[in-house]
Short mmCIF file of all heavy atoms in Angstrom, two decimals:
data_model
loop_
_atom_site.label_atom_id
_atom_site.label_comp_id
_atom_site.label_asym_id
_atom_site.label_seq_id
_atom_site.Cartn_x
_atom_site.Cartn_y
_atom_site.Cartn_z
N VAL A 104 -48.77 126.96 -297.01
CA VAL A 104 -47.47 127.55 -296.66
C VAL A 104 -47.53 128.16 -295.27
O VAL A 104 -46.59 128.04 -294.49
CB VAL A 104 -47.07 128.60 -297.72
CG1 VAL A 104 -45.87 129.42 -297.24
CG2 VAL A 104 -46.76 127.91 -299.04
N TYR A 105 -48.62 128.81 -294.94
CA TYR A 105 -48.76 129.43 -293.62
C TYR A 105 -48.75 128.36 -292.54
O TYR A 105 -48.08 128.51 -291.50
CB TYR A 105 -50.06 130.23 -293.56
CG TYR A 105 -50.30 130.85 -292.22
CD1 TYR A 105 -49.55 131.95 -291.78
CD2 TYR A 105 -51.29 130.34 -291.38
CE1 TYR A 105 -49.78 132.51 -290.54
CE2 TYR A 105 -51.53 130.90 -290.14
CZ TYR A 105 -50.77 131.99 -289.73
OH TYR A 105 -51.00 132.53 -288.50
N ARG A 106 -49.47 127.27 -292.77
CA ARG A 106 -49.49 126.19 -291.78
C ARG A 106 -48.11 125.58 -291.61
O ARG A 106 -47.66 125.32 -290.49
CB ARG A 106 -50.49 125.11 -292.20
CG ARG A 106 -51.94 125.54 -292.09
CD ARG A 106 -52.86 124.45 -292.57
NE ARG A 106 -54.25 124.86 -292.55
CZ ARG A 106 -55.26 124.13 -293.04
NH1 ARG A 106 -55.01 122.97 -293.60
NH2 ARG A 106 -56.49 124.58 -292.97
N LEU A 107 -47.42 125.33 -292.71
CA LEU A 107 -46.08 124.76 -292.64
C LEU A 107 -45.12 125.69 -291.90
O LEU A 107 -44.32 125.25 -291.07
CB LEU A 107 -45.55 124.48 -294.05
CG LEU A 107 -46.12 123.24 -294.73
CD1 LEU A 107 -45.59 123.14 -296.16
CD2 LEU A 107 -45.79 121.98 -293.95
N SER A 108 -45.22 126.97 -292.19
CA SER A 108 -44.32 127.92 -291.52
C SER A 108 -44.62 128.00 -290.03
O SER A 108 -43.71 128.10 -289.21
CB SER A 108 -44.45 129.30 -292.15
OG SER A 108 -45.78 129.79 -291.98
N SER A 109 -45.90 127.91 -289.66
CA SER A 109 -46.23 127.94 -288.23
C SER A 109 -45.72 126.68 -287.54
O SER A 109 -45.21 126.73 -286.42
CB SER A 109 -47.74 128.08 -288.04
OG SER A 109 -48.40 126.92 -288.55
N ILE A 110 -45.82 125.53 -288.22
CA ILE A 110 -45.31 124.28 -287.65
C ILE A 110 -43.79 124.36 -287.49
O ILE A 110 -43.24 123.98 -286.45
CB ILE A 110 -45.72 123.08 -288.55
CG1 ILE A 110 -47.22 122.84 -288.45
CG2 ILE A 110 -44.94 121.83 -288.13
CD1 ILE A 110 -47.73 121.82 -289.45
N VAL A 111 -43.12 124.87 -288.50
CA VAL A 111 -41.67 125.01 -288.43
C VAL A 111 -41.29 125.97 -287.31
O VAL A 111 -40.32 125.74 -286.57
CB VAL A 111 -41.11 125.51 -289.78
CG1 VAL A 111 -39.66 125.95 -289.64
CG2 VAL A 111 -41.24 124.40 -290.82
N TYR A 112 -42.05 127.04 -287.14
CA TYR A 112 -41.77 128.00 -286.07
C TYR A 112 -41.92 127.33 -284.71
O TYR A 112 -41.07 127.52 -283.82
CB TYR A 112 -42.71 129.19 -286.19
CG TYR A 112 -42.54 130.19 -285.08
CD1 TYR A 112 -41.42 131.01 -285.03
CD2 TYR A 112 -43.50 130.29 -284.09
CE1 TYR A 112 -41.26 131.92 -284.01
CE2 TYR A 112 -43.35 131.20 -283.06
CZ TYR A 112 -42.24 132.01 -283.02
OH TYR A 112 -42.09 132.90 -282.00
N ARG A 113 -42.97 126.55 -284.51
CA ARG A 113 -43.17 125.86 -283.24
C ARG A 113 -42.05 124.86 -282.98
O ARG A 113 -41.51 124.78 -281.87
CB ARG A 113 -44.52 125.14 -283.24
CG ARG A 113 -45.70 126.09 -283.20
CD ARG A 113 -47.00 125.32 -283.29
NE ARG A 113 -48.17 126.18 -283.34
CZ ARG A 113 -49.40 125.77 -283.56
NH1 ARG A 113 -49.64 124.48 -283.75
NH2 ARG A 113 -50.40 126.63 -283.59
N LEU A 114 -41.68 124.11 -284.01
CA LEU A 114 -40.60 123.13 -283.85
C LEU A 114 -39.29 123.83 -283.51
O LEU A 114 -38.54 123.36 -282.65
CB LEU A 114 -40.45 122.31 -285.13
CG LEU A 114 -41.51 121.24 -285.36
CD1 LEU A 114 -41.29 120.58 -286.71
CD2 LEU A 114 -41.49 120.21 -284.25
N SER A 115 -39.01 124.95 -284.16
CA SER A 115 -37.76 125.64 -283.88
C SER A 115 -37.75 126.20 -282.46
O SER A 115 -36.72 126.20 -281.79
CB SER A 115 -37.54 126.76 -284.88
OG SER A 115 -38.57 127.72 -284.76
N SER A 116 -38.90 126.69 -281.98
CA SER A 116 -38.96 127.19 -280.61
C SER A 116 -38.76 126.05 -279.61
O SER A 116 -38.06 126.20 -278.61
CB SER A 116 -40.29 127.89 -280.35
OG SER A 116 -41.36 126.96 -280.43
N ILE A 117 -39.34 124.87 -279.90
CA ILE A 117 -39.15 123.71 -279.03
C ILE A 117 -37.68 123.30 -279.03
O ILE A 117 -37.09 123.02 -277.98
CB ILE A 117 -40.06 122.55 -279.48
CG1 ILE A 117 -41.52 122.89 -279.21
CG2 ILE A 117 -39.66 121.26 -278.77
CD1 ILE A 117 -42.49 121.90 -279.81
N VAL A 118 -37.07 123.27 -280.20
CA VAL A 118 -35.65 122.90 -280.29
C VAL A 118 -34.79 123.91 -279.55
O VAL A 118 -33.83 123.55 -278.87
CB VAL A 118 -35.23 122.80 -281.78
CG1 VAL A 118 -33.71 122.73 -281.90
CG2 VAL A 118 -35.88 121.58 -282.42
N TYR A 119 -35.15 125.19 -279.63
CA TYR A 119 -34.39 126.22 -278.92
C TYR A 119 -34.49 126.01 -277.42
O TYR A 119 -33.48 126.08 -276.70
CB TYR A 119 -34.93 127.59 -279.30
CG TYR A 119 -34.26 128.71 -278.55
CD1 TYR A 119 -32.95 129.08 -278.84
CD2 TYR A 119 -34.94 129.39 -277.54
CE1 TYR A 119 -32.33 130.10 -278.15
CE2 TYR A 119 -34.33 130.41 -276.84
CZ TYR A 119 -33.03 130.76 -277.15
OH TYR A 119 -32.44 131.76 -276.46
N ARG A 120 -35.68 125.71 -276.91
CA ARG A 120 -35.84 125.47 -275.48
C ARG A 120 -35.05 124.25 -275.05
O ARG A 120 -34.38 124.26 -274.02
CB ARG A 120 -37.32 125.29 -275.13
CG ARG A 120 -38.13 126.56 -275.28
CD ARG A 120 -39.58 126.29 -275.02
NE ARG A 120 -40.42 127.46 -275.22
CZ ARG A 120 -41.74 127.47 -275.17
NH1 ARG A 120 -42.39 126.34 -274.92
NH2 ARG A 120 -42.41 128.57 -275.36
N LEU A 121 -35.13 123.18 -275.83
CA LEU A 121 -34.39 121.96 -275.50
C LEU A 121 -32.89 122.21 -275.50
O LEU A 121 -32.17 121.73 -274.62
CB LEU A 121 -34.74 120.85 -276.49
CG LEU A 121 -36.11 120.21 -276.29
CD1 LEU A 121 -36.37 119.19 -277.39
CD2 LEU A 121 -36.22 119.55 -274.93
N SER A 122 -32.40 122.97 -276.48
CA SER A 122 -30.97 123.23 -276.54
C SER A 122 -30.52 124.08 -275.36
O SER A 122 -29.43 123.88 -274.82
CB SER A 122 -30.61 123.91 -277.86
OG SER A 122 -31.23 125.18 -277.93
N SER A 123 -31.35 125.03 -274.93
CA SER A 123 -30.98 125.84 -273.77
C SER A 123 -30.95 124.98 -272.51
O SER A 123 -30.06 125.11 -271.66
CB SER A 123 -31.97 127.00 -273.58
OG SER A 123 -33.26 126.51 -273.29
N ILE A 124 -31.91 124.05 -272.38
CA ILE A 124 -31.92 123.14 -271.23
C ILE A 124 -30.68 122.25 -271.26
O ILE A 124 -30.01 122.04 -270.24
CB ILE A 124 -33.21 122.29 -271.23
CG1 ILE A 124 -34.42 123.18 -270.92
CG2 ILE A 124 -33.11 121.16 -270.20
CD1 ILE A 124 -35.74 122.47 -271.11
N VAL A 125 -30.36 121.71 -272.44
CA VAL A 125 -29.17 120.87 -272.57
C VAL A 125 -27.91 121.67 -272.25
O VAL A 125 -26.98 121.17 -271.61
CB VAL A 125 -29.10 120.27 -273.99
CG1 VAL A 125 -27.73 119.65 -274.25
CG2 VAL A 125 -30.20 119.24 -274.17
N TYR A 126 -27.86 122.93 -272.66
CA TYR A 126 -26.70 123.77 -272.37
C TYR A 126 -26.55 123.98 -270.87
O TYR A 126 -25.45 123.87 -270.32
CB TYR A 126 -26.86 125.11 -273.07
CG TYR A 126 -25.75 126.08 -272.75
CD1 TYR A 126 -24.48 125.89 -273.27
CD2 TYR A 126 -25.98 127.17 -271.91
CE1 TYR A 126 -23.45 126.78 -272.98
CE2 TYR A 126 -24.96 128.05 -271.62
CZ TYR A 126 -23.70 127.85 -272.15
OH TYR A 126 -22.70 128.71 -271.85
N ARG A 127 -27.65 124.25 -270.17
CA ARG A 127 -27.59 124.41 -268.72
C ARG A 127 -27.14 123.13 -268.05
O ARG A 127 -26.30 123.15 -267.13
CB ARG A 127 -28.96 124.84 -268.18
CG ARG A 127 -29.36 126.24 -268.60
CD ARG A 127 -30.76 126.55 -268.13
NE ARG A 127 -31.20 127.86 -268.58
CZ ARG A 127 -32.43 128.32 -268.41
NH1 ARG A 127 -33.34 127.58 -267.80
NH2 ARG A 127 -32.76 129.52 -268.84
N LEU A 128 -27.70 122.00 -268.47
CA LEU A 128 -27.32 120.72 -267.88
C LEU A 128 -25.85 120.42 -268.13
O LEU A 128 -25.15 119.94 -267.23
CB LEU A 128 -28.19 119.58 -268.45
CG LEU A 128 -29.62 119.54 -267.94
CD1 LEU A 128 -30.40 118.45 -268.66
CD2 LEU A 128 -29.65 119.29 -266.44
N SER A 129 -25.36 120.70 -269.32
CA SER A 129 -23.96 120.42 -269.62
C SER A 129 -23.04 121.32 -268.81
O SER A 129 -21.98 120.88 -268.35
CB SER A 129 -23.68 120.59 -271.11
OG SER A 129 -23.88 121.94 -271.48
N SER A 130 -23.43 122.57 -268.58
CA SER A 130 -22.60 123.45 -267.75
C SER A 130 -22.58 122.96 -266.31
O SER A 130 -21.54 122.98 -265.65
CB SER A 130 -23.14 124.89 -267.81
OG SER A 130 -24.43 124.96 -267.24
N ILE A 131 -23.73 122.47 -265.82
CA ILE A 131 -23.77 121.93 -264.46
C ILE A 131 -22.90 120.69 -264.36
O ILE A 131 -22.13 120.52 -263.41
CB ILE A 131 -25.23 121.60 -264.06
CG1 ILE A 131 -26.03 122.90 -263.88
CG2 ILE A 131 -25.27 120.79 -262.77
CD1 ILE A 131 -27.51 122.67 -263.72
N VAL A 132 -22.99 119.81 -265.36
CA VAL A 132 -22.17 118.60 -265.37
C VAL A 132 -20.70 118.96 -265.45
O VAL A 132 -19.85 118.34 -264.79
CB VAL A 132 -22.58 117.69 -266.55
CG1 VAL A 132 -21.55 116.59 -266.77
CG2 VAL A 132 -23.95 117.09 -266.30
N TYR A 133 -20.34 119.98 -266.21
CA TYR A 133 -18.95 120.42 -266.32
C TYR A 133 -18.44 120.91 -264.97
O TYR A 133 -17.33 120.57 -264.55
CB TYR A 133 -18.84 121.51 -267.37
CG TYR A 133 -17.45 122.09 -267.47
CD1 TYR A 133 -16.43 121.37 -268.06
CD2 TYR A 133 -17.18 123.36 -266.97
CE1 TYR A 133 -15.15 121.89 -268.15
CE2 TYR A 133 -15.91 123.90 -267.06
CZ TYR A 133 -14.90 123.16 -267.65
OH TYR A 133 -13.65 123.68 -267.74
N ARG A 134 -19.26 121.69 -264.28
CA ARG A 134 -18.85 122.18 -262.96
C ARG A 134 -18.68 121.02 -261.98
O ARG A 134 -17.70 120.97 -261.23
CB ARG A 134 -19.90 123.16 -262.41
CG ARG A 134 -19.94 124.47 -263.18
CD ARG A 134 -21.04 125.36 -262.65
NE ARG A 134 -21.17 126.59 -263.42
CZ ARG A 134 -22.13 127.49 -263.24
NH1 ARG A 134 -23.04 127.28 -262.33
NH2 ARG A 134 -22.17 128.57 -263.99
N LEU A 135 -19.62 120.09 -261.99
CA LEU A 135 -19.52 118.94 -261.09
C LEU A 135 -18.30 118.10 -261.41
O LEU A 135 -17.59 117.66 -260.48
CB LEU A 135 -20.79 118.08 -261.20
CG LEU A 135 -22.03 118.66 -260.53
CD1 LEU A 135 -23.23 117.76 -260.80
CD2 LEU A 135 -21.82 118.81 -259.04
N SER A 136 -18.00 117.90 -262.67
CA SER A 136 -16.85 117.08 -263.04
C SER A 136 -15.55 117.79 -262.64
O SER A 136 -14.60 117.13 -262.19
CB SER A 136 -16.85 116.78 -264.53
OG SER A 136 -16.71 117.99 -265.26
N SER A 137 -15.50 119.10 -262.76
CA SER A 137 -14.29 119.82 -262.34
C SER A 137 -14.13 119.73 -260.83
O SER A 137 -13.01 119.56 -260.32
CB SER A 137 -14.37 121.28 -262.78
OG SER A 137 -15.43 121.95 -262.11
N ILE A 138 -15.23 119.80 -260.08
CA ILE A 138 -15.15 119.67 -258.63
C ILE A 138 -14.68 118.27 -258.26
O ILE A 138 -13.80 118.09 -257.39
CB ILE A 138 -16.52 119.97 -257.99
CG1 ILE A 138 -16.85 121.46 -258.13
CG2 ILE A 138 -16.53 119.57 -256.51
CD1 ILE A 138 -18.27 121.80 -257.73
#
Side-chain angles (χ1 to χ4, degrees):
V104 168
Y105 178 73
R106 289 178 183 174
L107 284 176
S108 62
S109 64
I110 290 172
V111 168
Y112 177 73
R113 290 177 184 173
L114 284 176
S115 63
S116 65
I117 291 171
V118 167
Y119 177 73
R120 291 176 183 174
L121 285 176
S122 64
S123 64
I124 291 171
V125 168
Y126 176 73
R127 291 175 183 174
L128 286 176
S129 64
S130 65
I131 291 170
V132 167
Y133 175 73
R134 291 177 184 174
L135 286 176
S136 64
S137 65
I138 291 171

